[in-house]
Amino acid sequence: VQLQASGGGTVQPGGSLRLSCTPSSQTADRYAMAWFRQGPGMEREFVAAMMWVGGTKYYSDFKKGRFTISRDNAKTTVYLQMDSLKPEDTAVYYCASSSSRDVILYPRNIRKYKIWGQGTQVTVSS
């Protein structure tokens, strides 16, 4: 399974972007999908996650209210809607998939996600 992320680009502060992530194939072993990001010189950090069964959502504390994770009804694509973007949101954004049954206990733990997309660059600049 591969993940294809898209939707990045350059936007002014206060603007919006919607990222998309589509798996190359469906699998019954997907328990969660998530978005992480990695800014220049920084470690990869958790942004948002969604349990694939039930749809429970989790967010990084300082993303809540500006970012929204969602999926289409066919469960083929996961999205990250980003509003009120700030320059500090500049990063490469990665989508990831987890086949760990206990990811529901640790949805923000990067080690629970083994399949990663190639990343899409988001730049917030005036």
Side-chain angles (χ1 to χ4, degrees), residues 105-124:
L105 300 176
Y106 312 102
R108 300 175 177 86
N109 189 329
I110 194 171
R111 292 186 292 272
K112 296 299 178 183
Y113 299 88
K114 302 300 184 184
I115 299 173
W116 291 84
Q118 82 285 9
T120 184
Q121 176 70 47
V122 172
T123 302
V124 185

Side-chain angles (χ1 to χ4, degrees), residues 24-115:
S24 60
S25 63
Q26 298 303 311
T27 172
D29 292 335
R30 180 172 297 119
Y31 291 98
M33 290 193 70
W35 290 94
F36 289 76
R37 75 181 190 184
Q38 188 166 16
M42 299 179 66
E43 293 187 354
R44 196 169 298 188
E45 64 174 350
F46 173 80
V47 176
M50 172 182 277
M51 298 300 110
W52 216 238
V53 176
T56 303
K57 302 175 184 181
Y58 301 86
Y59 294 96
S60 175
D61 287 341
F62 51 92
K63 307 296 188 297
K64 192 180 297 183
R66 296 193 299 123
F67 293 4
T68 303
I69 189 170
S70 64
R71 66 184 175 197
D72 65 346
N73 289 334
K75 298 183 181 180
T76 58
T77 301
V78 64
Y79 304 99
L80 183 68
Q81 177 68 40
M82 305 185 294
D83 299 317
S84 302
L85 283 163
K86 305 175 181 180
E88 52 263 42
D89 294 319
T90 294
V92 178
Y93 284 71
Y94 297 89
C95 63
S97 176
S98 175
S99 60
S100 298
R101 293 178 180 268
D102 64 349
V103 67
I104 194 170
L105 300 176
Y106 312 102
R108 300 175 177 86
N109 189 329
I110 194 171
R111 292 186 292 272
K112 296 299 178 183
Y113 299 88
K114 302 300 184 184
I115 299 173

